[in-house]
């Protein structure tokens, strides 16, 4: 069985300070080859689980056994409000019942044209940029625009689309503020301890809330039915325990989680393809064989085997939702490997980091190497369950899994079909905040294939 790594007070404080700059730096190097990592800071006890059965047990535990970790509550709740990512119990269940149908596969399939249109629009922007001599670009903002357009087209009517475009301006502030909130929690500092970026975020958030409230009032005064996400939330209203603050929280949470995470995953996919032109050529050949040239229809997505393997390998190495935090509300026993169990004390913070498990030498040979063949059918069948979970696991798993994979498949197909990519800057380093994102520009050179 893999060992348990234990860090004392001084080492734990050192890692907490490192996590202030980048959450990934708060993970000890020896944690990747350990089943458990224990850290204690000023009376707070943290356990990082890296054992597949234990991870499943933690993520599927009932709400009387585990709750949200304090660092999650202090990071996401104040920033996005009490939405799906930060609530628990009956409040979470009521919201999930209202929100889940907008992610139903039939709804995504019916709106697949919006995904294709956003991908084609990205291609048109890149062709114009290349023609204007601006083919060297930071891919991240372009991909954020594409995924934002998809989310707005799928889930929001125009009256909310215009308002939510402002939320994109808040995301960099949110990411930075989140790092400080996690740092405060790790060191046991009180909530009122000042954040350098706090005022900027709260001012912008106040303006966004006011705009959303105005949109709610207009919707309520208009008898026209709306089947978008705000329409469903407003219709559910008080009957589902959703006041305006909760509705605002659900909208901003799903907007943030729905496009920021996919955009980050796509940024890493573009970077990996830029370094491997032969892989992009093979994806293009596969697309031509499956569709004859057009971007894939919903029933063709699964036939793009190589594109799907590339996407899963990207999500292995760069899982956007890279860490989940739970807190033991009572003592519990979880599997510890080799048929044994581990006793978890009440109050312990239980962290589950896909970033760690996905890069653990316990489960992945040469884990830092990019290798899409890890996701052939034979390879998947031959490895342990529970070591790959980019969308989480259990009842709180990401409801947008199908949408994210469809978006990424169409975007990867568009890019491989129409462009040759080259790296045009240093490799971006992963930065762990609320999500995992590139810590610097993703600089590539974009050349349309017809001009190559």
């Amino acid at each position: 069985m893999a060992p348990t790594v234990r860090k004392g007070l001084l080492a734990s404080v050192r890692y907490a300070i490192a996590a202030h700059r980048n959450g990934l730096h708060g993970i000890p190097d020896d944690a990747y080859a350990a089943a458990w990592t224990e850290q204690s800071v000023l009376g707070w006890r943290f356990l990082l689980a890296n054992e597949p059965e234990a991870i499943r047990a933690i993520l599927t535990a009932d709400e009387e056994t585990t709750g949200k970790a304090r660092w999650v509550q202090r990071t996401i709740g104040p920033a996005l409000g009490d939405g799906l990512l930060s609530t628990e119990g009956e409040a979470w269940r009521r919201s999930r019942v209202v929100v889940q149908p907008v992610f139903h596969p039939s709804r995504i399939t019916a709106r697949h044209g919006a995904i294709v249109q956003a991908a084609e629009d990205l291609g048109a922007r890149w062709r114009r940029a290349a023609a204007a001599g601006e083919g060297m670009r930071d891919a991240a903002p372009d991909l954020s625009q594409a995924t934002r357009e998809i989310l707005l087209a799928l889930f929001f009517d125009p009256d909310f689309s215009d308002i939510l475009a402002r939320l994109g301006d808040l995301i960099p502030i949110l990411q930075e503020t989140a790092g400080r909130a996690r740092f405060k929690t790790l060191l046991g500092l009180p909530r009122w301890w000042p954040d350098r970026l706090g005022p900027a975020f709260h001012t912008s958030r106040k303006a966004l809330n006011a705009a959303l409230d105005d949109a709610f009032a207009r919707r309520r005064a208009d008898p026209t039915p709306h089947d978008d996400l705000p329409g469903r939330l407003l219709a559910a209203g008080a009957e589902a325990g959703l006041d305006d603050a909760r509705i605002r929280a659900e909208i901003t949470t799903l907007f943030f989680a729905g496009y920021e995470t996919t955009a980050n995953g796509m940024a890493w996919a573009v970077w990996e393809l830029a370094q491997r032109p032969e892989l992009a050529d093979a994806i293009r050949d596969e697309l031509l064989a499956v569709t004859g040239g057009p971007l894939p229809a919903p029933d063709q997505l699964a036939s793009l085997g190589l594109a799907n393997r590339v996407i899963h390998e990207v999500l292995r190495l760069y899982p956007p939702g890279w860490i989940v935090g739970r807190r033991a509300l009572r003592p519990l026993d979880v599997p510890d490997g080799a048929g044994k169990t581990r006793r978890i004390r009440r109050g312990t913070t239980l962290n589950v980091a896909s970033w760690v498990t996905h890069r653990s030498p316990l489960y992945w040979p040469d884990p830092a190497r990019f290798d899409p063949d890890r996701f052939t059918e034979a390879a998947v069948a031959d490895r342990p369950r529970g070591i790959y979970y980019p969308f989480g696991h259990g009842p709180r798993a990401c409801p947008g899994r199908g949408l994210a994979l469809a978006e990424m498949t169409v975007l990867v197909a568009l890019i491989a079909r129409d462009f040759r990519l080259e790296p045009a800057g240093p490799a971006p380093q992963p930065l762990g905040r609320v999500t995992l994102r590139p810590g610097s520009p993703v600089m590539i050179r974009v050349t349309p294939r017809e001009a190559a």
Side-chain angles (χ1 to χ4, degrees):
M1 186 174 62
T4 295
V5 170
R6 295 179 174 86
K7 301 296 179 182
L9 173 61
L10 292 180
S12 296
V13 169
R14 187 166 64 249
Y15 285 114
I17 293 171
H20 178 51
R21 298 186 297 272
N22 183 341
L24 304 180
H25 295 167
I27 300 171
D29 289 343
D30 44 4
Y32 295 84
W36 297 87
T37 301
E38 296 182 8
Q39 293 174 274
S40 298
V41 182
L42 301 182
W44 298 89
R45 186 166 181 262
F46 300 86
L47 273 177
L48 173 64
N50 188 31
E51 203 289 320
E53 292 185 20
I55 289 169
R56 289 198 301 274
I58 291 167
L59 295 182
T60 59
D62 62 51
E63 62 193 40
E64 295 180 354
T65 302
T66 66
K68 286 286 185 183
R70 287 188 174 90
W71 67 260
V72 175
Q73 295 171 330
R74 295 190 184 185
T75 298
I76 296 175
L80 294 178
D82 293 327
L84 278 174
L85 292 181
S86 55
T87 54
E88 298 183 275
E90 187 61 28
W92 174 82
R93 279 192 295 274
R94 287 196 297 263
S95 293
R96 182 83 177 207
V97 167
V98 176
V99 169
Q100 183 70 46
V102 304
F103 291 99
H104 193 277
S106 63
R107 184 184 178 94
I108 303 304
T109 296
R111 291 160 173 76
H112 185 77
I115 301 175
V116 171
Q117 185 60 57
E120 296 286 12
D121 289 347
L122 171 66
R125 287 194 296 271
W126 277 6
R127 280 187 288 273
R128 288 194 298 269
E134 300 172 356
M136 189 170 75
R137 8 192 350 98
D138 178 4
D142 293 333
L143 294 162
S144 288
Q145 180 177 347
T147 58
R148 184 167 60 247
E149 289 173 356
I150 292 169
L151 195 75
L152 292 175
L154 263 59
F155 298 143
F156 299 95
D157 288 351
D159 56 335
F160 276 84
S161 296
D162 294 341
I163 295 169
L164 287 171
R166 308 179 194 180
L167 184 55
D169 298 333
L170 293 181
I171 286 177
I173 303 173
L174 166 62
Q175 294 278 16
E176 293 301 322
T177 303
R180 289 164 174 78
R182 184 182 291 116
F183 173 71
K184 289 195 302 184
T185 306
L186 289 174
L187 292 185
L189 300 176
R191 288 175 181 264
W192 51 259
W193 194 273
D195 288 322
R196 182 170 61 86
L197 294 176
F201 177 82
H202 291 299
T203 298
S204 298
R205 180 58 197 265
K206 185 177 180 180
L208 175 66
N209 287 348
L212 286 171
D213 286 342
D214 287 343
F216 295 163
R218 289 195 299 272
R219 281 282 183 97
R220 289 179 172 125
D222 180 3
T224 304
H226 293 268
D227 189 40
D228 62 351
L229 176 62
R232 287 173 175 266
L233 291 167
L234 288 167
E239 185 176 340
L242 300 175
D243 59 14
D244 282 4
R246 283 288 305 280
I247 294 172
R248 286 198 307 266
E250 298 300 353
I251 289 172
T252 53
T253 295
L254 287 168
F255 182 79
F256 169 77
Y259 102 83
E260 164 79 357
T261 52
T262 306
N264 288 337
M266 275 305 306
W268 295 114
V270 164
W271 180 255
E272 294 293 345
L273 289 175
Q275 299 177 84
R276 297 168 178 83
E278 73 288 347
L279 186 56
D281 290 345
I283 293 173
R284 177 178 182 270
D285 292 344
E286 177 182 68
L287 177 69
L288 295 177
V290 170
T291 74
L295 293 179
D299 61 355
Q300 295 172 318
L301 293 172
S303 298
L304 298 177
L306 177 58
N308 284 309
R309 293 196 297 276
V310 166
I311 290 164
H312 283 296
E313 179 67 348
V314 166
L315 294 175
R316 181 187 72 84
L317 283 171
Y318 311 104
W322 66 279
I323 189 168
V324 172
R326 305 294 290 168
R327 180 166 54 93
L329 301 179
R330 63 186 184 188
L332 70 151
D333 296 315
V334 298
D336 200 18
K340 298 182 179 180
T341 60
R342 183 186 187 96
R343 186 73 167 174
I344 306 296
R345 297 203 305 259
R346 179 178 178 274
T348 300
T349 296
L350 297 165
N351 290 328
V352 172
S354 53
W355 168 267
V356 172
T357 310
H358 288 187
R359 289 172 173 257
S360 173
L362 298 174
Y363 315 118
W364 307 92
D366 195 6
R369 179 170 54 88
F370 184 84
D371 180 8
D373 285 345
R374 298 181 198 270
F375 290 91
T376 63
E377 288 186 16
V380 171
D382 194 43
R383 64 170 167 256
R385 290 176 58 241
I387 64 170
Y388 174 68
Y389 50 100
F391 298 99
H393 183 69
R396 286 182 171 268
C398 174
R401 178 185 186 277
L403 171 60
L405 292 175
E407 288 181 76
M408 293 185 73
T409 304
V410 171
L411 288 166
V412 164
L414 175 284
I415 291 167
R417 183 191 71 182
D418 291 357
F419 299 97
R420 295 191 184 278
L421 308 179
E422 302 172 72
Q429 296 303 305
L431 177 63
R433 292 296 195 207
V434 177
T435 59
L436 182 75
R437 60 188 176 101
S440 59
V442 183
M443 297 304 299
I444 58 169
R445 185 178 303 280
V446 175
T447 304
R449 283 190 180 269
E450 59 267 24

